[in-house]
Amino acid sequence: MKNLLENHKIILSFSVLFLLVCSITVTIISNNQLSDSISITSSVLLSIGFLVIFAMIFLDFIHSICNP
């Protein structure tokens, strides 16, 4: 578990996930159109970033299994 937390991709994915939740919360709570459009745009970009980070973690996991 300690090795898992030292991996920078895991920490980055948790921080992106936290920012994504914050952005979605702002979208739901906000009544301002400018704030909504900025938070929706950031939600889309953070979702793409989260998928890329997840793909990199998955590929590293597959690489560690195939090359012991």
Side-chain angles (χ1 to χ4, degrees), residues 3-17 49-50 52-61 63:
N3 189 19
L4 184 68
L5 291 177
E6 290 175 356
N7 191 353
H8 65 280
K9 291 177 188 168
I10 301 293
I11 295 170
L12 183 63
S13 67
F14 280 128
S15 62
V16 168
L17 185 62
F50 186 70
V52 168
I53 293 169
F54 184 72
M56 289 175 18
I57 291 170
F58 183 72
L59 289 175
D60 284 344
F61 181 71
H63 183 71

Side-chain angles (χ1 to χ4, degrees), residues 4-62:
L4 184 68
L5 291 177
E6 290 175 356
N7 191 353
H8 65 280
K9 291 177 188 168
I10 301 293
I11 295 170
L12 183 63
S13 67
F14 280 128
S15 62
V16 168
L17 185 62
F18 175 73
L19 289 173
L20 183 62
V21 168
C22 289
S23 178
I24 291 171
T25 304
V26 167
T27 304
I28 292 171
I29 292 175
S30 175
N31 291 330
N32 188 358
Q33 186 175 4
L34 177 65
S35 157
D36 282 345
S37 38
I38 290 173
S39 62
I40 288 172
T41 304
S42 64
S43 295
V44 169
L45 293 175
L46 287 169
S47 298
I48 292 170
F50 186 70
L51 289 175
V52 168
I53 293 169
F54 184 72
M56 289 175 18
I57 291 170
F58 183 72
L59 289 175
D60 284 344
F61 181 71
I62 295 296

